[in-house]
């Protein structure tokens, strides 16, 4: 037995009760047996889980949401949601606005268009009692200490629990999808036969991803007993998977001057997209998309090791992900960790609000939003439709309808007319039209886009300077905001032909369809980057000069260093799908009945001690080792962490008895 091993056996758990100089923040009760770190790619240990009849993906967006599904027996047929009640005319398979309405006693009332329209038709005195929420998903990205108790504010200023709102929304999608599946199959469709996929931005931190899972448990989408029934998918990855299947006629290539589908893409970025939209509109009646079981022509141009960027521009966030092709199956490897930020299309809405505040006064806008919340929603809907008409080559002005109650309330509030306010304000590019509309010059509208687009371009510029991001073949522009000709032109100008820009035709549904494909085959993404450093707290032999004196703990003549962070995986390290990192530890005291292993994480790449700033406990493994007599022999406790998935799993095994415990990694408790 080595000196180290005998020393190991001497450690006592009550060491912490009697700290010499050490003031430890956690009692690890374990010390490493295996000094080295064994990595295994035991892919056979990755449970494939039960077989599902159908995969349903929910794209829970900041501004709009929807679902799509495919039966596992017909994986090439992706069905998108059926028409929403109250949807805008002439469009059948669009997503519905991410808006939710609760009754005055806080019960779920409606979601999407139905919520928007009902709220809008309420009498103003009544609408103040109802709780209406929109664009609330961003709260998960912007809240620094997200927890189960995080609140949201409804339009009337009242607070509600975020978890309740997300659970209501997911329950709504569950009900809609199951109803549609039951109608299709002619009987009651069992939720146990569904594998659910929820998409989230790749730049979301772990607490936000876990929050979505907690909401899914609360909504009854899946139960805690069967967590594998729900997959949390990353939005740019889903887009990547769908883009692999694209055929030439299903996309617009902005980066070439060749003629495609009979039009010259250099004439105008917008014309290609409008033709594409026309094509989609004609096929709108069919809600089933055939995804041929082939790799698309574009993809077949890619060779082993080729790199491409997915830029997912949504309502709330923009996600940039760099992927690399692994042949022969065309698997994807994440090359550079996802980056981006809160630069989605809602930034343009905020700019519009700032403009209104400049003209009519911040005090009036704040009051109006609270006193006439439904009319404010109306105004933003009117703005939304004009926002979509903005284009680089537009020359005629854009008119925005002001709701009557805006004009009326302003007169009461200020004592003069809206027209007067416009004349008095120094905003000369917004005029008043006699039909009761705000008339914006194209330049004025384009200036509202500028801050958001500048952020995206700045981010792209920084990304393209990274060494991992050289020799990019394609840039895929996806997400609802990717439809904006202004954004397309800005990306084209920035790249100056460095790589080809590809926009799928049904750009707003790209992520949804990719998420269905991911649910059918989650193993398509082979390598990811770990967003955090993970490890466990242990005791090590104290080494003079290496360990800080305040961590010294003397017990039975042996000197120990407490609070040591034993790293399993470092932030930004590549991890293969299902990769297992396995370590062996031994209990501090042979007679120990329970072994507690704390799991810690940090955003920093290198961590030495669990007491460092920014290190937080995110899981605990409690292993009962009572009832075994082999006290003489050193116990081996194996700790395994499985990475490479969008979520992390951990377990501990008592080697002598085979007892196993699993840990949920918790990022939401503080």
């Amino acid at each position: 037995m080595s000196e180290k091993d005998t020393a190991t056996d001497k450690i006592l758990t009550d060491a912490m009760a009697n700290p010499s100089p050490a003031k430890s923040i956690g009692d690890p009760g374990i010390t490493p047996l295996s000094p080295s770190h064994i990595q295994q790619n035991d892919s056979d240990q990755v449970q494939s889980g039960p077989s599902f009849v159908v995969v349903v993906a929910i794209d829970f967006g900041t501004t709009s949401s929807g679902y799509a599904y495919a039966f596992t027996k017909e994986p090439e047929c992706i069905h998108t949601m059926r028409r929403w009640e109250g949807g805008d005319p002439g469009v059948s398979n669009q997503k519905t606005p991410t808006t939710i309405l609760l009754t005055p006693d806080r019960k779920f009332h409606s979601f999407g268009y139905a919520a928007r329209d009902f709220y809008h038709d309420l009498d103003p005195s009544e609408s103040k009692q109802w709780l209406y929420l929109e664009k609330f998903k961003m709260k998960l990205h912007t809240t620094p200490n997200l927890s189960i108790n995080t609140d949201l504010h409804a339009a009337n200023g009242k607070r509600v629990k975020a978890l309740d709102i997300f659970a209501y929304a997911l329950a709504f999608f569950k009900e809609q999808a199951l109803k549609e599946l039951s109608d299709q199959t002619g009987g009651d469709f069992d939720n146990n036969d569904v594998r659910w996929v929820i998409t989230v931005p790749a730049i979301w931190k772990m607490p936000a991803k876990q929050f979505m899972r907690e909401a899914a448990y609360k909504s009854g989408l899946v139960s805690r007993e069967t967590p594998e029934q729900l997959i949390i998918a990353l939005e740019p990855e889903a887009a990547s998977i769908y883009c692999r299947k694209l055929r030439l006629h299903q996309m617009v290539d902005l980066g070439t001057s060749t003629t495609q589908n009979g039009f010259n893409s250099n004439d105008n970025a917008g014309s290609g997209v409008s033709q594409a939209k026309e094509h989609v509109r004609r096929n709108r009646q069919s809600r089933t998309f055939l995804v041929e079981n082939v790799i698309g022509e574009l993809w077949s141009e890619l060779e082993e090791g080729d790199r491409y960027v997915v830029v997912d521009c949504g309502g709330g966030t923009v996600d940039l992900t760099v992927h690399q092709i692994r042949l022969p199956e065309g698997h994807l490897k994440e090359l550079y960790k996802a980056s981006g930020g809160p630069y989605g299309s809602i930034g343009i809405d905020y700019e519009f609000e700032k403009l209104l505040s400049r003209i009519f006064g911040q005090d009036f806008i704040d009051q109006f939003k609270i006193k006439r919340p439904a009319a404010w929603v109306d105004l933003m809907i009117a703005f939304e439709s004009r926002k979509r008409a903005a284009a680089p080559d537009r020359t005629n002005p854009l008119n925005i309808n002001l709701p009557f109650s805006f004009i009326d309330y302003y007169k009461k509030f200020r004592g003069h007319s809206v027209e007067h306010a416009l004349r008095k304000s120094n905003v000369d590019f917004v005029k008043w039209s006699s039909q009761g509309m705000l008339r914006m010059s194209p330049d004025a509208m384009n200036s509202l886009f500028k801050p958001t687009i500048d952020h995206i371009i700045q981010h792209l510029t920084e990304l393209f300077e990274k060494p991992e991001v050289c020799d990019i073949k394609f840039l895929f522009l996806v997400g609802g905001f990717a439809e904006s000709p202004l954004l397309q032109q800005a990306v084209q100008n920035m790249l100056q032909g460095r790589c080809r820009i590809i926009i799928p035709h049904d750009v707003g549904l790209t992520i949804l369809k990719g998420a269905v494909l991911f649910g059918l085959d989650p193993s398509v993404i082979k390598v990811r980057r770990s967003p955090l450093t993970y490890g466990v707290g242990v005791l090590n032999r104290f080494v003079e000069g290496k360990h800080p004196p305040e961590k010294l703990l003397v017990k039975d003549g042996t000197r120990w260093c407490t609070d040591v962070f034993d790293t399993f995986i470092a932030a930004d390290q590549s991890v293969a799908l299902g990769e297992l990192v396995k370590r062996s530890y031994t209990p501090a005291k042979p007679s120990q009945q329970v072994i507690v292993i704390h799991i810690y994480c940090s955003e920093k790449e290198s961590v030495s001690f669990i007491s460092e700033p920014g290190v937080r406990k995110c899981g605990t493994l409690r292993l009962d080792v009572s009832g075994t007599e082999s006290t003489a022999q050193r116990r081996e406790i194996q700790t395994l962490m499985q990475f490479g998935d969008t979520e992390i799993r951990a377990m501990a095994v008592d080697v002598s008895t085979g007892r196993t415990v699993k840990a949920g990694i918790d990022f939401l408790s503080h």
Side-chain angles (χ1 to χ4, degrees), residues 365-384:
I365 296 296
D366 290 346
Q367 269 295 320
F368 181 71
K369 281 163 78 171
I370 288 170
K371 291 284 193 278
R372 298 282 185 275
W376 174 256
V377 169
D378 223 24
L379 174 56
M380 292 314 284
I381 292 168
F383 173 67
E384 179 67 33

Side-chain angles (χ1 to χ4, degrees), residues 92-379:
S92 64
N93 65 343
Q94 66 194 50
K95 296 195 284 189
T96 193
T98 307
T99 52
I100 197 165
L101 183 63
L102 307 187
T103 62
D105 58 355
R106 296 175 176 255
K107 297 275 182 291
F108 175 78
H109 180 272
S110 47
F111 187 91
Y113 288 114
R116 195 181 81 176
D117 297 347
F118 185 91
Y119 180 63
H120 179 252
D121 294 342
L122 286 169
D123 183 75
S125 60
E126 224 185 331
S127 67
K128 281 189 221 131
Q129 308 307 313
W130 290 66
L131 291 95
Y132 179 80
L133 293 101
E134 58 178 0
K135 301 175 185 151
F136 49 86
K137 179 180 160 190
M138 276 306 279
K139 185 84 180 195
L140 297 196
H141 181 69
T142 53
T143 305
N145 281 330
L146 185 68
S147 80
I148 291 297
N149 300 314
T150 295
D151 280 339
L152 298 171
H153 286 95
N156 61 1
K158 289 189 180 152
R159 295 160 80 99
V160 277
K161 281 229 176 320
L163 192 69
D164 292 346
I165 297 301
F166 281 82
Y168 280 142
L170 291 173
F172 167 79
F173 281 112
K174 174 189 172 185
E175 188 193 345
Q176 294 289 321
L178 288 179
K179 203 161 133 216
E180 183 171 340
L181 289 166
S182 299
D183 292 350
Q184 275 228 350
T185 52
D188 268 352
F189 202 88
D190 187 350
N191 190 40
N192 294 328
D193 291 334
V194 181
R195 163 168 264 166
W196 295 95
V197 181
I198 299 176
T199 62
V200 302
I203 53 168
W204 267 17
K205 298 224 177 342
M206 294 311 259
K209 292 175 189 168
Q210 185 190 334
F211 189 93
M212 267 312 204
R213 185 170 278 283
E214 291 296 329
Y217 291 148
K218 183 157 189 172
S219 70
L221 198 68
V222 297
S223 79
R224 283 184 198 281
E225 285 63 60
T226 55
E228 66 285 342
Q229 196 186 345
L230 167 67
I231 298 178
I232 303 284
L234 306 181
E235 287 161 7
E237 285 188 357
S240 214
I241 293 164
Y242 178 65
C243 289
R244 293 172 58 197
K245 304 275 189 184
L246 284 177
R247 311 303 302 267
L248 287 177
H249 62 84
Q250 294 169 312
M251 57 199 178
V252 180
D253 188 339
L254 292 185
T256 61
S257 51
T258 54
T259 303
Q260 260 177 319
N261 299 353
F263 69 86
N264 181 326
S265 60
N266 262 18
D267 293 350
N268 164 8
S271 71
V273 176
S274 55
Q275 287 206 11
K277 276 189 180 158
E278 188 48 48
H279 165 82
V280 172
R281 207 170 286 128
R282 281 202 298 274
N283 296 342
R284 268 277 155 82
Q285 299 334 309
S286 153
R287 289 185 303 113
T288 303
F289 289 81
L290 283 174
V291 179
E292 296 167 61
N293 201 4
V294 295
I295 299 291
E297 292 102 329
L298 195 65
W299 221 253
S300 53
E301 292 180 30
L302 292 170
E303 292 161 7
E304 171 84 50
D306 275 352
R307 300 149 188 231
Y308 61 95
V309 176
V310 178
V311 181
D312 169 20
C313 307
T317 49
V318 169
D319 252 347
L320 313 174
T321 314
V322 185
H323 279 159
Q324 187 174 36
I325 296 291
R326 317 244 323 248
L327 295 176
E329 303 89 352
H331 285 141
L332 315 179
K333 170 182 179 176
E334 185 186 359
L335 262 196
Y336 183 73
K337 66 170 186 280
S339 61
Y343 316 128
S345 57
I346 56 173
I348 301 153
D349 301 350
Y350 294 139
E351 289 300 319
F352 179 59
E353 195 179 315
K354 280 186 349 206
L355 177 67
L356 291 176
S357 299
R358 264 177 68 192
I359 299 169
F360 303 108
Q362 183 77 51
D363 54 344
F364 167 70
I365 296 296
D366 290 346
Q367 269 295 320
F368 181 71
K369 281 163 78 171
I370 288 170
K371 291 284 193 278
R372 298 282 185 275
W376 174 256
V377 169
D378 223 24
L379 174 56

Side-chain angles (χ1 to χ4, degrees), residues 397-462:
L398 294 129
N399 291 323
I400 296 160
N401 257 324
L402 276 186
F404 172 72
S405 67
F406 185 98
I407 298 167
D408 185 52
Y409 193 74
Y410 184 77
K411 198 164 175 59
K412 284 186 187 135
F413 189 88
R414 286 271 191 258
H416 57 239
S417 71
V418 164
E419 196 178 343
H420 175 81
L422 270 161
R423 274 207 310 275
K424 291 283 287 190
S425 81
N426 53 1
V427 180
D428 52 353
F429 41 75
V430 181
K431 300 276 185 279
W432 178 246
S433 97
S434 50
Q435 294 93 16
M437 294 180 179
L438 286 183
R439 176 169 289 177
M440 288 184 78
S441 71
D443 286 351
M445 181 57 103
N446 295 1
S447 71
L448 298 182
F449 279 75
K450 190 172 170 4
T452 303
I453 289 179
D454 285 352
H455 271 302
I456 297 171
I457 296 303
Q458 183 192 341
H459 237 91
L460 263 177
T461 308
E462 285 168 13

